[in-house]
Amino acid sequence: PGVGPAHQAQDTLGVRPEHLLPVNDGPALRTEVQRVEHVGDALYVHTRLHGSGCPLVLRLAPETLPPAPGSALRLQPMAGQVHVFDPSG
């Protein structure tokens, strides 16, 4: 049995920056860091997904040691925090 409805290739996945976690092990999205932005109470890390170039942004605590631009970063969405949007929104 499936765990949810079938999705189409034109569907868009959405994940909030605070729901992406950097990981060392297990399944993950492989990205490359483009830039790091310090904004008040957060550190935003702008990345590009390996293979497609799709942009992904994650939010970290401001005291986190930021990854260097150009470095590889493996990201995993928190369970239950990936949203699917069909072409109509």
Side-chain angles (χ1 to χ4, degrees):
V3 294
H7 299 291
Q8 303 298 318
Q10 64 271 22
D11 289 347
T12 299
L13 298 180
V15 182
R16 293 183 179 272
E18 61 270 22
H19 295 150
L20 284 170
L21 303 172
V23 295
N24 292 322
D25 299 316
L29 301 168
R30 295 183 308 147
T31 69
E32 181 180 315
V33 176
Q34 301 298 300
R35 65 186 171 96
V36 177
E37 185 178 17
H38 297 267
V39 181
D41 68 341
L43 182 72
Y44 288 95
V45 181
H46 298 261
T47 70
R48 293 262 178 207
L49 188 60
H50 179 73
S52 74
C54 178
L56 289 174
V57 179
L58 71 143
R59 180 182 181 186
L60 300 173
E63 64 274 5
T64 305
L65 181 64
S71 65
L73 191 60
R74 294 168 38 95
L75 303 176
Q76 188 176 79
M78 294 173 142
Q81 297 300 325
V82 176
H83 307 281
V84 179
F85 300 93
D86 65 24
S88 66

